[in-house]
DNA sequence: GAGGGATCTTGACACTGTCAAGAAAATACC
DNA sequence: GGTATTTTCTTGACAGTGTCAAGATCCCTC
């Protein structure tokens, strides 16, 4: 009897999708990737739990098993983004060579360029009200990014270590304010004046009263 | 027959609400007020078209006749907020007296204090992705706020007028970055280091290389 | 006083995040 | 190896959101 029917010929009852098994395999990471794609494509409001799920090829409620909610996904995205941010600044520093001043400049340039080129991500990292900024994993990676900037400021400290961190806060506020008030993200256009041709002039004003280590 | 029934006794058919007439009177302004209340109470995500309508005592679709959509309401709220912002800085400047340096410091202090005390509004003004920042009315009021800061920077310009606006952009970026990276809004907690005891130290670094006009 | 435009309401739609219940697969356990 | 449990995902539902269409109501003008 069994020979009468070729098992491979009959339309089998429920092989739901041979290419996509029931288990995704690495859905958590895939959802973060999808979210970053959506943010880069459509800006801060382009990210949605359901759209991220659809882009990862999964039903709308699947993310709930990996993220407690939208805020949790946003926090994970911001965390991943800070890793990219740190490596971007690190590369900018390395490209700048050995000179301490050039290195700090490189960090700041990387900071601003990242804000412009990844405006959606940058928005989530710094401006989203939903990210849980007390999350331990988020804290660790964001502080790693700040450490990169702090390290570049160290050679310019009036006293080392500066107890009030005045210089690094000044540089950090300057570059962040400049990046945020800028210029590049289409949904932030027209916010301010034309940026100066070179950020160096602004940095000069912060470092003017200091000895140049090189 | 008519005497059999006291007209004031029967539950009349449809006097919908004697205290609230069909026409609100000044709904557009009332919606902006309600939105500001909601933002101050519940933060940036507390503002909703329907909630603003309910708070103004009006049906959920009524705002559509005064605002093209949520983005339009947000733009109007941001515009109103910039007016408050400007007067706040102006008061801070007047309280600071005649000394140019003290006046600039007052402006910056007012800037930061406003960001902390009206965090929800500040978020909409500067950080919301939905505000139409090319709206003429918005542009006018926001530029008035910037003018207040620019005016306070004028006495410190190396050359007057500074063609590159380097100084004012430096001060502006510094104070804005400091305010945004701060400190005060509960949903932004834990973002950075402890702020220095006084913003004056940071301002010193911007103005160090300049002649003090007073 | 009648017409017309502005203003508001009601109802509906698609979309959102979130929850509950169940199916399917992987894993643990005996 | 076979069963039980846990993890993972699906389906379905719910309230809340912005937005649109159609109608009721009011005010103003002619």
């Amino acid at each position: 009897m069994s020979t009468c029917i070729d098992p491979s010929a009959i339309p089998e009852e429920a092989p739901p999708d041979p290419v996509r098994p029931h288990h995704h395999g690495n859905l958590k990471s895939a959802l973060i990737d999808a979210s970053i794609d959506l943010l880069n494509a459509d800006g801060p409001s382009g990210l949605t739990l359901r759209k991220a799920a659809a882009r990862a090829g999964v039903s709308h409620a699947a993310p709930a098993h990996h993220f407690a909610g939208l805020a949790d996904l946003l926090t994970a995205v911001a965390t991943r983004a800070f890793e990219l941010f740190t490596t971007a600044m690190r590369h900018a520093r390395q490209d700048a060579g050995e000179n301490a001043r050039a290195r700090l400049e490189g960090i700041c340039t990387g900071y601003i360029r990242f804000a412009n080129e990844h405006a959606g991500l940058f928005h989530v990292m710094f401006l989203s009200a939903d990210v849980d900024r007390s999350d331990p994993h988020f804290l660790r990676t964001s502080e790693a990014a700040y450490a990169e900037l702090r390290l570049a400021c160290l050679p310019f400290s009036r006293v080392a270590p500066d107890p009030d961190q005045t210089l690094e806060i000044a540089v950090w506020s300057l570059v962040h304010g400049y990046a945020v008030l800028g210029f590049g993200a289409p949904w932030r256009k027209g916010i301010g004046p034309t940026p100066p041709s070179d950020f160096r002039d602004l940095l000069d004003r912060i470092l003017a009263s200091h000895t140049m280590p090189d």
Side-chain angles (χ1 to χ4, degrees), chain A:
Chain A
M1 313 298 184
S2 60
T3 58
C4 300
I5 304 177
D6 179 6
S8 67
I10 49 170
E12 291 191 63
E13 198 52 35
D17 195 344
V19 295
R20 184 167 65 76
H22 184 76
H23 279 53
H24 181 285
N26 198 8
L27 182 55
K28 183 162 188 171
S29 178
L31 284 170
I32 297 176
D33 291 341
S35 301
I36 291 180
D37 288 348
L38 288 170
L39 284 171
N40 283 332
D42 303 332
S45 57
L47 172 55
T48 281
L49 258 180
R50 291 171 109 104
K51 278 198 257 184
R55 183 174 263 259
V58 111
S59 85
H60 68 265
H65 295 267
H66 297 276
F67 301 100
L70 179 62
D72 198 27
L73 173 62
L74 278 171
T75 304
V77 168
T79 302
R80 168 84 59 92
F82 262 106
E83 293 171 3
L84 302 175
F85 186 50
T86 301
T87 67
M89 281 198 290
R90 196 165 295 164
H91 279 102
R93 183 198 56 181
Q94 288 166 348
D95 291 349
E98 289 298 322
N99 181 292
R101 170 58 199 266
R103 238 188 281 185
L104 178 56
E105 231 174 87
I107 293 272
C108 292
T109 306
Y111 198 110
I112 294 166
R113 189 184 310 143
F114 187 93
N116 286 344
E117 292 179 355
H118 305 88
L121 274 185
F122 195 81
H123 197 276
V124 170
M125 291 163 63
F126 288 105
L127 313 179
S128 165
D130 294 323
V131 169
D132 173 17
R133 301 182 193 282
S134 64
D135 176 81
H137 193 7
F138 173 85
L139 272 179
R140 224 175 314 135
T141 57
S142 61
E143 276 167 5
Y146 303 147
E148 195 70 30
L149 206 154
R150 186 161 28 217
L151 197 69
C153 286
L154 206 64
F156 298 91
S157 267
R158 213 186 308 235
V159 292
D162 184 354
D164 283 340
Q165 309 172 306
T166 312
L167 174 71
E168 68 185 60
I169 294 183
V171 171
W172 183 18
S173 295
L174 180 74
V175 64
H176 186 75
Y178 184 80
V180 161
L181 287 173
F183 315 111
W187 50 86
R188 315 203 89 256
K189 273 226 178 90
I191 233 192
T194 308
S197 55
D198 207 336
F199 184 76
R200 256 178 296 177
D201 293 346
L202 275 62
L203 202 56
D204 274 337
R205 300 185 170 273
I206 298 282
L207 303 177
S209 57
H210 288 77
T211 58
M212 296 299 164
D214 287 315

